[in-house]
């Protein structure tokens, strides 16, 4: 939930005290949290507890009597990635079902741009009442997600259906919502990814290779798969492993083999992310037998490998998008710009071995992304998993523009 904005709406039921725990786990999983309360709910949980845990001011009234500042319900609606009303009392439920807006929470519900989830909490008879059922049906029809009540001991001393779902359950439902949203991002899209090094044979036992581990490309493939894409991963020799129903893994050794695989699939793909460290040169001829060490010197004639990314850029249709990488030891931006233009890319991921923790073999990387409108975004040093998420999110943003 890193960076996700969760707006919690708290209404006046005894289960409100459990929201402190919900905030703890939401914060632990990386979410930003803000709380808005109905006036009645502050009798059940102190706003100070909520603001301390959420690290944000708490909204109760439309305006603050002390300093006259305005709590803007429209801004809350724009801020949130999800609105979760928990606990939801029978009273607030009926108001939500009927479009009342006589407090900040209700006005915010009507201003929501995104999904609202509710976790009802009430005594068993209130919960079983036909009015409650009818109001819940109205919310469902209006697109609100209901987090089912649980059965058990109730504050009244009675036992039955009506307990608010536990904070862990509510957290899981929120997580599932964000996961499903992510999965929808690239649903139905095929993405071609190249990863790892290429090995260019010298003779039957030797080759020219490089230090690429394939980690970056595999993390990108994983990220795309988690966002619903079908990934065609053309991979040079690597220790990385990946299995998924939506993955077509094509292991290759040489640049020529990588080119052939790319040529076979690029046409059918919407996007390409080429992270492979392709050898620029290969031996002109491969010796049939192991080369003997007879002489003090050995010369191997090299010829240029095809530029696979350039081929994809040259053949790219107007609705295909292509992302390349540039690993430079100097003049990173200048060379990146040139490469982006020469290879007809939409985005180029720039990195340099000069940054500590960036580059081959290590689990971290520090990148900047340049687009073909000259916009540059720089990122912090992060794990390759997080870098992959940044790259895929950036591509998604570029697509949606
Ligand atoms: O030109 P340079 O090798 O620095 O470009 C790096 C980018 O081009 C990377 O995205 C890499 O995967 C791709 N590339 C390629 N085929 C080559 C050389 C590089 O696809 N022969």
């Amino acid at each position: 939930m890193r960076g996700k904005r969760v707006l919690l709406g708290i209404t006046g039921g005894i289960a409100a005290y459990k929201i402190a725990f919900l905030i703890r786990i939401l914060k632990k999983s990386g979410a930003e949290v803000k709380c808005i309360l109905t006036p009645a709910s502050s009798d059940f949980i102190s706003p100070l507890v909520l603001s301390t845990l959420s690290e944000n001011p708490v909204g109760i009234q439309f305006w603050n009597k002390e300093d006259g500042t305005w709590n803007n319900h429209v801004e809350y609606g724009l801020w949130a990635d999800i609105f979760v009303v928990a606990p939801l009392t029978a009273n607030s439920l009926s108001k939500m079902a009927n479009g009342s807006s006589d407090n900040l929470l209700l006005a915010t519900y009507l201003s929501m741009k995104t999904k609202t989830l509710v976790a009802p909490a009430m005594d068993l008879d209130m919960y079983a009442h036909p009015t409650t059922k009818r109001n819940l049906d109205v919310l469902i029809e209006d697109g609100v997600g209901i987090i089912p009540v649980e059965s058990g001991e109730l504050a009244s001393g009675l036992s039955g259906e009506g307990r608010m779902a536990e904070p862990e359950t509510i957290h899981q439902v929120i997580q599932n919502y964000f996961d499903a949203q992510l999965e929808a991002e690239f649903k139905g899209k095929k993405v071609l990814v190249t990863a790892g090094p290429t090995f260019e044979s010298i003779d039957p036992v030797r080759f020219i290779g490089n230090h690429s581990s394939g980690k970056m490309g595999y993390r990108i493939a994983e990220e795309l798969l988690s966002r619903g894409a079908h990934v065609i991963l053309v991979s040079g020799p690597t220790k990385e492993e990946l299995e998924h129903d939506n993955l077509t893994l094509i292991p290759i050794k040489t640049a020529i083999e990588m080119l052939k695989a790319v040529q076979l699939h690029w046409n059918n793909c919407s996007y390409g992310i080429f992270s492979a460290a392709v050898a620029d040169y290969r031996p002109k001829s491969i010796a049939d037998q192991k080369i003997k060490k007879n002489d003090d010197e050995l010369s191997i004639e090299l010829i240029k490998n095809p530029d696979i990314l350039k081929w994809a850029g040259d053949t790219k249709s107007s609705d295909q998008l292509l992302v390349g990488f540039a690993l430079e030891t100097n003049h990173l931006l200048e060379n990146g710009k040139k490469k982006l233009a020469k290879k007809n890319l939409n985005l180029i991921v720039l990195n340099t071995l000069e940054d500590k923790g960036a580059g081959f073999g290590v689990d971290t990387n520090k990148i900047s992304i340049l687009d073909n409108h000259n916009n540059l975004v720089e990122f912090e040093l992060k794990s390759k998993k997080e870098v992959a998420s940044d790259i895929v999110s950036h591509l998604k943003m570029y697509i949606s523009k």
Side-chain angles (χ1 to χ4, degrees):
M1 277 197 222
R2 192 167 54 95
K4 291 290 178 199
R5 295 163 162 184
V6 180
L7 181 62
L8 293 178
I10 300 157
T11 73
I14 183 68
Y17 80 92
K18 291 189 180 174
I19 298 309
F21 299 100
L22 176 59
I23 298 173
R24 290 295 296 265
I25 37 184
L26 283 168
K27 295 284 286 185
K28 256 196 190 154
S29 51
E32 279 183 60
V33 179
K34 283 188 182 177
C35 298
I36 46 175
L37 276 67
T38 58
S41 68
S42 56
D43 290 336
F44 294 93
I45 182 143
S46 138
L48 182 61
V49 170
L50 298 171
S51 67
T52 308
L53 292 175
S54 66
E55 298 175 287
N56 268 314
V58 166
I60 306 177
Q61 307 287 352
F62 282 107
W63 62 286
N64 184 331
K65 283 187 183 135
E66 268 95 58
D67 61 11
T69 49
W70 175 248
N71 270 326
N72 194 331
H73 53 95
V74 178
E75 264 170 30
Y76 277 119
L78 291 170
W79 178 84
D81 291 319
I82 192 166
F83 184 37
V84 184
V85 184
L88 175 65
T89 57
N91 179 47
S92 289
L93 166 64
S94 87
K95 289 182 173 183
M96 282 172 78
N98 288 290
S100 290
S101 56
D102 63 357
N103 65 41
L104 179 66
L105 187 150
L106 293 168
T108 303
Y109 168 59
L110 293 179
S111 309
M112 260 308 125
K113 294 268 186 204
T114 178
K115 183 83 177 170
T116 299
L117 299 176
V118 297
M122 58 199 81
D123 206 49
L124 77 168
D125 294 315
M126 287 177 99
Y127 183 67
H129 200 279
T131 315
T132 303
K133 298 280 175 220
R134 197 167 55 235
N135 286 336
L136 280 173
D137 284 345
V138 170
L139 287 203
I140 292 169
E141 207 162 292
D142 292 345
V144 172
I146 313 289
I147 306 173
V149 295
E150 292 178 3
S151 200
E153 275 178 30
L154 299 163
S156 60
L158 299 173
S159 184
E161 273 205 321
R163 277 168 68 99
M164 185 181 78
E166 290 302 323
E168 290 79 7
T169 311
I170 298 176
H171 179 262
Q172 191 57 53
V173 176
I174 299 171
Q175 180 70 64
N176 293 350
Y177 168 75
F178 286 133
D179 286 350
Q181 252 197 340
L182 266 189
E183 242 176 69
E185 276 191 3
F186 284 86
K187 199 144 212 116
K189 297 288 179 196
K190 259 192 191 170
V191 189
L192 184 58
V193 177
T194 71
T198 62
F199 285 180
E200 310 295 337
S201 293
I202 299 170
D203 67 18
V205 293
R206 302 183 183 95
F207 61 84
I208 297 172
N210 61 63
H211 292 297
S212 168
S213 61
K215 285 174 198 266
M216 197 61 252
Y218 274 68
R219 295 298 87 75
I220 289 169
E222 265 169 10
E223 186 64 33
L224 287 162
L225 289 164
S226 76
R227 300 194 192 196
H230 184 117
V231 175
I232 296 169
L233 177 59
V234 183
S235 169
T238 168
K239 287 188 189 136
E240 295 293 317
E241 287 176 9
L242 192 54
E243 274 181 39
H244 195 286
D245 287 349
N246 289 337
L247 173 72
T248 307
L249 179 63
I250 307 176
I252 54 88
K253 282 209 176 72
T254 66
I256 297 289
E257 287 169 8
M258 183 173 274
L259 175 67
K260 280 188 187 149
V262 165
Q263 285 178 331
L264 197 62
H265 292 282
W266 176 227
N267 226 355
N268 299 320
C269 291
S270 305
Y271 316 118
I273 304 184
F274 285 30
S275 68
V278 184
D280 290 325
Y281 294 89
R282 67 177 186 279
K284 190 169 180 187
S285 58
I286 306 170
D288 292 339
Q289 305 294 328
K290 187 179 169 199
I291 299 171
K292 295 269 178 252
K293 50 173 180 233
N294 295 332
D295 303 324
D296 284 346
E297 283 183 15
L298 171 69
S299 298
I300 300 169
E301 201 180 341
L302 300 176
I303 53 166
K304 206 158 195 185
N305 262 331
D307 190 324
I308 304 165
L309 181 61
K310 183 163 183 335
W311 176 86
D314 288 344
T315 60
K316 168 168 86 112
S317 69
S318 58
D319 46 9
Q320 283 178 307
L321 299 182
L322 191 55
V323 184
F325 277 66
L327 177 70
E328 303 285 341
T329 48
N330 55 4
H331 307 301
L332 180 61
L333 186 58
E334 205 180 304
N335 289 333
K337 268 186 196 168
K338 276 190 202 149
K339 217 168 268 188
L340 183 128
K342 186 177 148 212
K343 303 195 189 198
N344 194 24
L345 308 179
N346 300 88
L347 300 172
I348 191 156
V349 180
L350 311 173
N351 54 12
T352 157
L353 291 177
E354 277 163 25
D355 285 314
K356 230 175 163 242
F360 291 136
V362 291
D363 283 320
T364 48
N365 206 358
K366 187 171 181 317
I367 60 155
S368 316
I369 303 179
L370 178 71
D371 72 15
N372 55 350
H373 307 296
N374 236 348
N375 300 307
L376 179 75
V377 181
E378 290 179 50
F379 297 85
E380 304 281 301
L381 181 75
K382 292 181 181 184
S383 72
K384 283 191 175 163
K385 185 175 163 49
E386 289 170 313
V387 172
S389 165
D390 287 340
I391 293 169
V392 174
S393 295
H394 205 86
L395 173 63
K396 180 71 197 162
M397 220 168 61
Y398 183 92
I399 295 164
S400 331
K401 261 190 201 164

